[in-house]
Amino acid sequence: MFRFTTGDRAALYTAILHAFGEANERLETALGLDDVRARLRSVGWFGELDDEDLAAALGQLREWLLLDVIQNHAENYRTASEYERRNLQYSLTKRGEAAFAGVQHALTVLASTGALQTAVLDAISDRLDELGRLLSESSSTHRRVFTTLMELESHLDALRGNTKQFNGELQRLLRAEGADLTTFHEVKGATVTYLQEFLTNLDQRAHAISAGIERVDFHGVSLLRQRALLGAELPPTAGEDPAPAWLEHRRARWDGLRAWFRPEDGGPARAEQLHTVARRAIVTLLQVLDRITESRRRASSAVADFRELARWFAAAPSETDLHRLWSTAFGLSSARHAHLGHPDPELISAAATWEEAPAVEVSALLRSAGRTERFSRTGRVRDVTEIKAARGELAKLERAELQAAWSLLATDGPVRLSAFGELEHAVFQRLLDLLGRALSTAPDSTGVRQGTTSDGKVEILLTAPQDARGAVLYTPRGRFAGPDFVVDVRVAGVRQRREETG
């Protein structure tokens, strides 16, 4: 049937069938010799073709049972040449129509990439709902049942065809190697996003379709097919009744719909398998993207380096070049100590050969670090006496400042926080630290909170105010406002000294 697609004249044969296909779309079933030539120009054939070549091509297609020829007795012919040109009328046989449709389908598949369309799933669910409604209504027409069933089958064919093509493209994408990394990264990233968007609510859509199939089953699938058959209005034929074949075709389509969304044997539906394949593809694509990203982060890839080195080895012209390449690639180069000399060259005779000359001492550091040892005087130890004295004085000053701050904050008993009035910023920071330590503890049975510094020398007792008074403290850097707590700051040794001096 497809022998016209091979050979030297395959383009001419395909163009002729294309011309007959376009004529059929315009309801012209028969073409004469001149009509075929005009149609060839409309389909894009502009090669030189005389009447003998065209007749030979039509005859060959007739031998392959793709064309049929009849005589046109309805025309009036004025001359013999006109009779010869217009008498024979060619038309496509059923085999020819099938061959041309097969070529068109093949070209369509080659040009398409497939798709996962959630709109098709929604359309299938809508058609099933409509079929359930039509079967439940006695006033619905058979024609409407037929057209709805045909729409359902067309959506199912689109889902199956697009899914198969997209899955094939997806698997080829997963196996793709050697492409441009930038383009490769963008395509795979976009594919991951596309798959994730398709998988969103896929389970809900599949469940809705399964529920629609169940509703149609409740009314009876046989009733659906019988009403659709009445609405199809099949034409009468001289041979066998086409109704049984038509019903069998509808049954096979319905079984295919069940296999996708509601299998009768209780096995996994193909929609679930599609979900699994898409999830696995997302994981694989993300892994590949991670490897691409990781390879971009490094200056070079070890795998790529070894492959390139293997190509160099394969292209080496001689064994000597192989050894040189091996030495260069794996560090087996000339010795690093060849430039070293004897400590006292005058002791070596100029006539002495290399083998007779005394050995030169080679440092182990040269092999490990690539440089020779150099011996020099020991560095002088730095005098740190002044640094120690300065640090000691600084420590004494800090301790004195800290003790002065605690002395200023120490109270002779419970006082209001507002009693501190104005403080230096450093002293204010110490007071805030004490307040924070006290507020971070839980109050005892009397409502007193207790906080202590890390060295245990300073203790604060804090009681929440019984009134709504507020305290305002002033520092050189601003003012602080808060509740007027009752505080008792106790610094070890400060209160005793005050009592002795007082």
Side-chain angles (χ1 to χ4, degrees):
M1 186 184 298
F2 298 99
R3 283 180 292 181
F4 69 93
T5 59
T6 60
D8 297 337
R9 311 193 75 181
L12 175 60
Y13 296 147
T14 304
I16 292 175
L17 291 183
H18 193 181
F20 278 97
E22 280 199 349
N24 279 347
E25 291 181 0
R26 292 176 170 82
L27 304 181
E28 298 178 11
T29 57
L31 298 177
L33 201 64
D34 294 335
D35 298 331
V36 173
R37 188 184 299 279
R39 291 289 182 184
L40 285 177
R41 297 189 185 96
S42 65
V43 299
W45 176 269
F46 299 101
E48 295 183 2
L49 189 66
D50 54 22
D51 291 345
E52 293 183 1
D53 291 338
L54 180 57
L58 293 172
Q60 183 62 63
L61 291 174
R62 184 186 178 190
E63 291 182 8
W64 289 336
L65 304 180
L66 302 180
L67 290 180
D68 195 9
V69 60
I70 58 175
Q71 291 183 349
N72 187 7
H73 300 288
E75 289 285 344
N76 295 320
Y77 308 105
R78 293 174 295 181
T79 61
S81 60
E82 184 178 356
Y83 174 80
E84 292 178 357
R85 297 183 62 84
R86 299 176 58 187
N87 179 42
L88 298 181
Q89 298 286 320
Y90 297 89
S91 62
L92 282 176
T93 62
K94 196 172 188 62
R95 187 184 181 93
E97 292 178 356
F100 179 65
V103 172
Q104 283 188 316
H105 180 70
L107 295 177
T108 303
V109 172
L110 288 175
S112 62
T113 57
L116 301 177
Q117 299 169 332
T118 55
V120 176
L121 297 176
D122 294 336
I124 292 176
S125 179
D126 294 340
R127 298 289 79 74
L128 286 171
D129 292 340
E130 187 174 357
L131 283 176
R133 181 180 58 81
L134 292 174
L135 293 177
S136 62
E137 297 176 355
S138 58
S139 60
S140 60
T141 62
H142 301 318
R143 292 181 179 180
R144 185 56 184 164
V145 174
F146 166 72
T147 56
T148 305
L149 181 60
M150 292 298 101
E151 290 176 5
L152 173 64
E153 291 184 357
S154 65
H155 291 315
L156 179 62
D157 290 341
L159 174 65
R160 295 169 58 184
N162 286 332
T163 301
K164 289 189 296 183
Q165 292 181 19
F166 182 83
N167 187 47
E169 292 291 334
L170 181 62
Q171 301 307 318
R172 284 187 285 272
L173 178 63
L174 294 176
R175 298 190 299 267
E177 294 182 358
D180 179 66
L181 288 182
T182 302
T183 305
F184 197 61
H185 190 278
E186 293 177 355
V187 171
K188 292 202 171 186
T191 303
V192 169
T193 304
Y194 183 80
L195 289 173
Q196 290 175 340
E197 292 178 354
F198 174 75
L199 291 179
T200 303
N201 299 328
L202 176 60
D203 295 335
Q204 290 84 345
R205 289 186 171 93
H207 179 72
I209 294 175
S210 177
I213 296 174
E214 184 179 3
R215 285 192 294 271
V216 174
D217 287 341
F218 175 77
H219 296 287
V221 182
S222 59
L223 175 62
L224 169 66
R225 288 197 286 265
Q226 290 296 331
R227 293 191 60 180
L229 176 61
L230 295 176
E233 300 177 353
L234 299 179
T237 58
E240 297 181 357
D241 185 10
W246 191 90
L247 291 173
E248 179 63 22
H249 190 60
R250 302 284 79 75
R251 185 195 63 79
R253 290 295 186 87
W254 188 262
D255 291 342
L257 180 63
R258 280 186 168 278
W260 267 92
F261 299 100
R262 192 181 178 86
E264 292 182 338
D265 56 0
R270 294 180 184 176
E272 298 179 2
Q273 298 176 359
L274 176 61
H275 191 283
T276 303
V277 170
R279 289 292 186 190
R280 190 183 302 117
I282 289 176
V283 174
T284 305
L285 287 172
L286 290 177
Q287 291 175 348
V288 174
L289 292 177
D290 289 340
R291 288 196 295 268
I292 293 176
T293 304
E294 186 64 24
S295 64
R296 287 181 173 181
R297 291 176 181 173
R298 295 178 295 180
S300 61
S301 172
V303 176
D305 292 343
F306 277 110
R307 287 177 177 173
E308 184 65 23
L309 184 60
R311 285 190 286 267
W312 289 358
F313 273 109
S318 64
E319 186 175 353
T320 303
D321 296 321
L322 289 174
H323 286 290
R324 291 177 58 193
L325 181 58
W326 174 271
S327 300
T328 303
F330 296 100
L332 299 180
S333 56
S334 58
R336 296 181 178 182
H337 64 274
H339 67 285
L340 300 179
H342 198 275
D344 193 357
E346 295 181 356
L347 300 178
I348 302 175
S349 174
T353 62
W354 178 80
E355 294 180 347
E356 297 173 352
V360 176
E361 184 178 356
V362 179
S363 172
L365 186 64
L366 181 64
R367 181 185 62 204
S368 60
R371 63 178 186 271
T372 58
E373 296 176 347
R374 293 183 180 180
F375 299 96
S376 59
R377 293 186 305 172
T378 304
R380 187 176 62 179
V381 179
R382 187 175 56 169
D383 187 6
V384 295
T385 304
E386 296 181 358
I387 297 177
K388 290 177 62 177
R391 290 179 179 175
E393 292 295 332
L394 180 60
K396 290 180 181 180
L397 180 60
E398 291 178 352
R399 284 196 299 270
E401 292 178 353
L402 180 59
Q403 189 63 33
W406 291 137
S407 298
L408 291 174
L409 293 176
T411 61
D412 296 333
V415 296
R416 288 281 187 168
L417 183 61
S418 57
F420 288 100
E422 186 174 353
L423 297 172
E424 293 292 334
H425 186 72
V427 179
F428 174 70
Q429 285 183 326
R430 300 292 178 183
L431 178 59
L432 281 183
D433 180 61
L434 287 176
L435 292 175
R437 291 177 183 270
L439 291 173
S440 63
T441 61
D444 57 12
S445 58
T446 61
V448 178
R449 300 174 184 266
Q450 181 181 5
T452 309
T453 58
S454 58
D455 56 3
K457 294 182 179 181
V458 182
E459 180 185 15
I460 181 173
L461 302 177
L462 185 143
T463 305
Q466 299 299 326
D467 50 21
R469 290 175 54 185
V472 179
L473 303 181
Y474 296 93
T475 70
R477 299 187 183 181
R479 56 189 294 270
F480 168 82
D484 197 7
F485 292 105
V486 178
V487 297
D488 185 5
V489 181
R490 301 175 180 179
V491 181
V494 174
R495 182 175 298 180
Q496 181 179 1
R497 288 195 302 270
R498 288 181 178 178
E499 292 175 355
E500 291 177 354
T501 57

